[in-house]
Amino acid sequence: MDKPQPFFSDGMPNLSPAHFEVPTAERLEAPAPLSHAPRFLILYGSLRERSFSRFLAYEAARLLEAMGGEVRLFHAHGLPLPDDGTADHPKVQELRALSIWSEGQIWVSPERHGNLTGVMKSQIDWLPLSEGSVRPTQGRTLAVMQVSGGSQSFNAVNSLRVLGRWMRMVTIPNQSSVPMAYREFDEAGRMKAGPLYDRVVDVCEELMKFTLLTRGRAEYLVDRYSERKERDPERLSAVAADIGFAKE
């Protein structure tokens, strides 16, 4: 039997050779060790005094610190609603700075009316896809968790996954959903031992592994052919000319 011709042997006229790259294992080799501990930001979606999502966020923070991570929690008290404030608001600036600082994140939301809370969504909505040349979320790892007052549900974590993908984050496979959260935390706000706590440990362990795997490589992992074309100086000049900003 004759050897079949490669599918690309008839050419790829729509491809830009100047921007096409072949991914290589060498580009994914471990970079020089970073001097700082893995950095994690945790967001939670409730302002209640006794907040089970905050309790779960603190449990995750303890676990990540025990695994060698450095953790910051953002408290949304005082954060304005999107479009009801400006990006120079101190709480918005704090949130964006923490996101840029982080290498991985955990989003923890209560389930309310079958989905994530407005408090949770507002925090995510204040994080832009890009701010100048900086992308506050792109390439960062993400774990998603939820708490609910009733039977087990995955509505909130499913929505958080959609948002994480939209924000160009590396969302890990594992997740945690804590049903009847009022039964799972003691009066001090500590999560009780059991299978649900064990799952939280699993999630934090997996997040740490994925973060160690991707740190120092995120820029290469999320580098895209289409965006390399968009950054081309000739293309930028052509776009500027089309909208009337070309230099005389």
Side-chain angles (χ1 to χ4, degrees), residues 111-185:
E111 181 172 301
R112 182 173 297 168
H113 299 318
N115 217 309
L116 55 89
T117 63
V119 173
M120 189 78 240
K121 185 63 162 57
S122 292
Q123 294 174 77
I124 298 169
D125 284 348
W126 272 119
L127 294 173
L129 284 175
S130 62
E131 194 170 22
S133 61
V134 178
R135 298 184 183 273
T137 55
Q138 178 167 287
R140 287 156 179 81
T141 53
L142 172 67
V144 294
M145 301 183 184
Q146 75 168 74
V147 295
S148 56
S151 58
Q152 190 159 45
S153 168
F154 299 94
N155 292 332
V157 287
N158 287 339
S159 293
L160 290 172
R161 283 189 176 278
V162 171
L163 290 166
R165 185 171 68 246
W166 188 260
M167 302 302 286
R168 299 179 174 181
M169 303 179 78
V170 181
T171 309
I172 68 170
N174 215 335
Q175 62 188 23
S176 171
S177 174
V178 181
M180 298 185 215
Y182 56 89
R183 294 183 178 179
E184 299 301 325
F185 294 87

Side-chain angles (χ1 to χ4, degrees), residues 2-115:
D2 293 336
K3 183 178 179 181
Q5 289 294 315
F7 286 111
F8 58 81
S9 60
D10 56 352
M12 291 177 285
N14 295 325
L15 194 70
S16 170
H19 304 99
F20 179 68
E21 292 184 3
V22 178
T24 66
E26 289 74 21
R27 293 288 300 275
L28 289 169
E29 288 181 357
L34 297 176
S35 59
H36 60 80
R39 296 168 173 169
F40 297 96
L41 168 64
I42 302 180
L43 308 180
Y44 63 94
S46 173
L47 302 179
R48 291 181 177 178
E49 182 177 348
R50 185 168 173 80
S51 165
F52 295 113
S53 63
R54 186 177 74 249
F55 294 161
L56 184 56
Y58 273 106
E59 291 294 344
R62 294 182 184 100
L63 288 164
L64 289 173
E65 284 188 342
M67 296 175 191
E70 184 179 356
V71 184
R72 299 285 183 272
L73 273 80
F74 177 76
H75 304 288
H77 294 274
L79 181 72
L81 288 172
D83 303 325
D84 195 33
T86 57
D88 60 358
H89 189 284
K91 290 296 290 188
V92 176
Q93 288 294 300
E94 177 190 353
L95 173 60
R96 293 185 178 184
L98 285 171
S99 187
I100 292 169
W101 167 86
S102 71
E103 295 170 297
Q105 297 186 18
I106 297 180
W107 294 350
V108 188
S109 180
E111 181 172 301
R112 182 173 297 168
H113 299 318
N115 217 309

